Amino acid sequence: MSDFLKQFGEDLKKNVPGFIAVSVAEIKSGMSYYSQSVLSDFDPELASAYNLEVVKAKMSAIKALNLKDQVIDNVMITLTSQIHIIDVSDNQEYFIYLAVDSTKANLGMTKSILNKYKKEIADKL
């Protein structure tokens, strides 16, 4: 695992209020490059595998609708007590899957941190 991904995970855990779990995965293969969870019963790699289908379905919809020059920035799914954010890298090859506790989350801060890293992910993986 690269030092970049270790730093990324620690930064999220330390600076994202309500942090639950994170995973970084490749869209083409579904391979997870990094994952971390503060809950023993929350598997971020499994969650990434399922959320990969969300990303692929949206990419297919964009293509089917002929939405030229449109790419996925992020997808946010709000559950009863959690928010799941799927943030796609600028080159559309990787995604960050992040789960946070909705009662503690600060979405502005969270999105700012994710935007910083998603720009770097494509260059460093």
Side-chain angles (χ1 to χ4, degrees):
M1 180 184 348
S2 75
D3 290 337
F4 166 73
L5 289 175
K6 285 182 188 176
Q7 179 60 44
F8 162 74
E10 290 307 311
D11 193 17
L12 288 180
K13 187 176 173 183
K14 179 180 167 188
N15 294 308
V16 171
F19 174 87
I20 295 172
V22 66
S23 179
V24 176
E26 184 179 51
I27 294 171
K28 186 176 181 180
S29 69
M31 185 170 108
S32 180
Y33 287 91
Y34 176 82
S35 66
Q36 180 182 148
S37 178
V38 296
L39 302 177
S40 61
D41 62 344
F42 194 108
D43 183 348
E45 288 187 26
L46 180 60
S48 277
Y50 280 103
N51 283 291
L52 173 61
E53 297 307 314
V54 173
V55 173
K56 286 183 173 182
K58 192 60 194 174
M59 287 178 158
S60 293
I62 289 169
K63 185 176 180 182
L65 294 168
N66 202 27
L67 299 174
K68 292 181 169 80
D69 300 323
Q70 298 297 311
V71 294
I72 301 170
D73 183 34
N74 64 62
V75 177
M76 187 170 8
I77 300 167
T78 306
L79 305 176
T80 306
S81 63
Q82 297 177 358
I83 299 170
H84 295 199
I85 301 168
I86 305 164
D87 217 346
V88 179
S89 67
D90 289 348
N91 67 359
Q92 303 285 287
E93 292 181 17
Y94 305 96
F95 72 95
I96 301 166
Y97 164 77
L98 175 67
V100 296
D101 180 325
S102 63
T103 64
K104 299 175 184 169
N106 177 327
L107 291 178
M109 181 184 302
T110 300
K111 290 188 70 121
S112 175
I113 293 169
L114 286 175
N115 282 336
K116 170 187 164 191
Y117 281 105
K118 83 175 188 177
K119 291 180 189 323
E120 296 179 45
I121 282 177
D123 295 332
K124 299 199 179 200
L125 291 184

